[in-house]
Amino acid sequence: HELSRKKDLNTAISTPMTIIVLLFGATFYLYNNLQIIIIVPVFHIFHGILILTISTLVCSIFCLTICFNKILIGFRYPNFPYAHQILEYEEKCKAHEGEFNKFLTNKYIYYADAYQKINDKRASALYYARVFIVISLFLIIVAGCLFLLTKI
């Protein structure tokens, strides 16, 4: 289960990155096409919203970086021992019946727990990235409405 979850988390980054690129584009479009607004407080609110939008987008990129690669450190998913090592251990345990099964069960539990902890951290980072994207989307909609109001 955790291996398929790992693959899902690896592929889940493409859609948020596409949305982030589009939101950055919309933010810079609004900023570049902004005419001098006569009402000064609206001008400051508009710039504040754009700055907040860029800040939340940077936070979402940071969270996606944590989710995808743990900020260039990478994830250390533990692996089962090599097959020949398991076979050697099985030969050693023939005299003590049940010890080999206990060994395999304990290894399976250890690796399943390790994968689950890593995947939970990655899923949490992906969740926060999506939250920041939704906040950015809301802010860009508000900025777009202000932009349209200044064009009237």
Side-chain angles (χ1 to χ4, degrees), residues 123-140:
S124 176
L126 183 62
Y127 168 78
Y128 285 115
R130 289 178 176 166
V131 167
F132 283 123
I133 289 171
V134 169
I135 292 170
S136 299
L137 184 62
F138 173 75
L139 291 172
I140 204 69

Side-chain angles (χ1 to χ4, degrees), residues 5-152:
R5 193 168 161 217
K6 174 186 172 185
K7 290 177 187 175
D8 292 342
L9 287 169
N10 285 340
T11 58
I13 196 170
S14 61
T15 303
M17 281 306 295
T18 304
I19 294 170
I20 287 171
V21 168
L22 291 173
L23 289 174
F24 263 117
T27 302
F28 287 114
Y29 173 80
L30 290 175
Y31 183 77
N32 287 332
N33 291 319
L34 178 67
Q35 302 296 325
I36 297 175
I37 300 173
I38 298 171
I39 306 169
V40 175
V42 173
F43 183 71
H44 293 299
I45 290 171
F46 184 78
H47 278 283
I49 290 172
L50 290 181
I51 289 170
L52 240 117
T53 302
I54 290 173
S55 300
T56 55
L57 288 173
V58 168
C59 289
S60 65
I61 290 172
F62 179 74
C63 289
L64 285 176
T65 306
I66 290 172
C67 173
F68 188 65
N69 200 15
K70 198 177 175 182
I71 308 177
L72 303 176
I73 298 171
F75 294 101
R76 299 191 193 282
Y77 283 97
N79 293 316
F80 275 101
Y82 291 110
H84 70 74
Q85 291 174 331
I86 293 175
L87 186 61
E88 287 173 4
Y89 192 75
E90 184 181 23
E91 293 297 324
K92 290 180 187 176
C93 294
K94 285 213 178 196
H96 309 287
E97 196 164 321
E99 188 176 327
F100 181 70
N101 289 337
K102 185 189 275 188
F103 166 77
L104 285 180
T105 303
N106 288 339
K107 285 290 186 184
Y108 176 77
I109 290 170
Y110 169 76
Y111 292 128
D113 285 347
Y115 271 53
Q116 187 175 8
K117 287 176 187 175
I118 292 171
N119 287 339
D120 286 347
K121 289 177 187 175
R122 292 181 70 192
S124 176
L126 183 62
Y127 168 78
Y128 285 115
R130 289 178 176 166
V131 167
F132 283 123
I133 289 171
V134 169
I135 292 170
S136 299
L137 184 62
F138 173 75
L139 291 172
I140 204 69
I141 289 171
V142 170
C145 290
L146 284 175
F147 179 75
L148 290 176
L149 287 175
T150 61
K151 294 295 182 182
I152 296 176

